[in-house]
Amino acid sequence: MPDYKKEISSPEEFDSDTFTQAAVALHVISSGEYSGINPHAHRKGQLIMSLHGAVSCEVQNALWLVPPGHAVWIPGDTPHSCRITQNARTCFLFIEPGSAVMPETCCTIAITPLVRELILHLADQGPSYPSEGKMARLASVLLEQIPDAPVEALYLPVSTHPKIKH
């Protein structure tokens, strides 16, 4: 199994659904432009937090913008693709269904300093932390804090008409 404590440059190499922890985070860097060619989905919900650079996610005929200090929430089993600007730094947080009171639809969230630091710390630990103990308690605090974050309307509707979408 790869060492996920380090930053990864290809998110496709990570399968969040293989982990049973309530919250799993990882650092993602971009040395070039990363683009999810085909939409994908996973059972866990995903919070994509931008630390540096910009991130955009195409979800359900909308383009969600994720500037630094924000994150986009993508509920589990929602097809999506993601584009990260060159040299961007991003954290992905995968949340087990039912572990937190999260929105049922996609949204952009303003990330508080506490939530940011908890996600970064969780990403530094790797996804295989014990389900009991200090890291599990910190993950629990994180999952209590995220639902209180302000929701912002940072998306553009995308037409389903082939000519307009192109």
Side-chain angles (χ1 to χ4, degrees):
M1 175 176 287
D3 180 5
Y4 293 114
K5 287 185 181 182
K6 298 178 180 148
E7 296 174 324
I8 65 168
S9 58
S10 179
E12 293 94 353
E13 67 188 62
F14 184 79
D15 182 4
S16 65
D17 292 338
T18 62
F19 299 95
T20 59
Q21 288 78 359
V24 173
L26 69 146
H27 295 282
V28 178
I29 59 168
S30 175
S31 55
E33 186 175 281
Y34 162 72
S35 177
I37 296 169
N38 294 316
H40 65 281
H42 21 80
R43 186 180 54 77
K44 291 184 184 215
Q46 183 176 10
L47 192 69
I48 301 172
M49 180 176 72
S50 175
L51 301 168
H52 176 75
V55 178
S56 62
C57 297
E58 189 168 345
V59 182
Q60 301 171 339
N61 295 324
L63 183 65
W64 294 86
L65 307 176
V66 191
H70 292 77
V72 66
W73 167 247
I74 303 167
D77 296 318
T78 301
H80 61 281
S81 60
C82 186
R83 184 177 305 268
I84 300 172
T85 60
Q86 188 172 12
N87 297 320
R89 293 195 60 218
T90 305
C91 269
F92 289 175
L93 177 69
F94 297 94
I95 300 175
E96 186 69 29
S99 295
V101 181
M102 298 300 292
E104 294 181 14
T105 59
C106 294
C107 59
T108 303
I109 299 171
I111 297 297
T112 65
L114 175 60
V115 168
R116 179 185 185 278
E117 293 304 316
L118 287 170
I119 292 172
L120 290 173
H121 185 70
L122 190 61
D124 287 342
Q125 306 312 304
S128 298
Y129 62 89
S131 59
E132 299 287 328
K134 179 171 59 173
M135 282 313 303
R137 289 190 302 275
L138 284 174
S140 179
V141 169
L142 171 61
L143 295 175
E144 289 175 1
Q145 295 295 313
I146 292 173
D148 295 336
V151 174
E152 299 189 8
L154 298 174
Y155 76 97
L156 302 169
V158 176
S159 174
T160 57
H161 189 279
K163 287 184 180 181
I164 295 173
K165 191 171 185 173
H166 178 68

